Amino acid sequence: KNVRIYSIAIDESLRRQHFAEKLLAYCEDQIWKNHFRVISLEIREDNVASQRFFSKFGYQNYGKKAHFYEDNATALLYLKTKV
């Protein structure tokens, strides 16, 4: 079973307070508890901060999709698999 993370957003005033890490950890905990095995998501190719963030938590880039966003930007495809 797979699940896709569509969006994680933290208000600018709350950034750098580890809310994103806590939110992702909570989501992953719920996902694994519900017996999903794979989490997938897309990150804009120009969003280096998000790429670093998700890589830090074990997400791996496995490809890209051209013209994915409304402005035709490319998305990088990421996966995390329950071990």
Side-chain angles (χ1 to χ4, degrees):
K1 288 171 52 171
N2 299 344
V3 67
R4 178 175 171 246
I5 295 178
Y6 179 75
S7 180
I8 290 182
I10 303 298
D11 187 88
E12 240 179 90
S13 67
L14 299 173
R15 292 190 183 158
R16 306 235 186 268
Q17 297 178 45
H18 304 286
F19 286 110
E21 290 92 338
K22 291 173 186 172
L23 179 58
L24 181 60
Y26 177 79
C27 289
E28 287 183 352
D29 184 55
Q30 295 303 305
I31 290 165
W32 304 141
K33 281 181 181 176
N34 284 284
H35 309 290
F36 289 94
R37 306 297 296 163
V38 177
I39 303 171
S40 66
L41 55 91
E42 299 84 21
I43 301 174
R44 287 179 67 97
E45 190 170 43
D46 61 358
N47 190 343
V48 177
S50 285
Q51 293 169 38
R52 275 191 227 128
F53 175 80
F54 284 100
S55 292
K56 181 171 88 172
F57 291 97
Y59 289 79
Q60 297 183 320
N61 177 282
Y62 71 93
K64 56 171 69 175
K65 235 185 230 185
H67 313 293
F68 184 77
Y69 295 98
E70 285 183 23
D71 64 356
N72 287 318
T74 296
L76 299 179
L77 309 174
Y78 279 78
L79 280 179
K80 183 172 184 176
T81 304
K82 172 111 174 151
V83 181

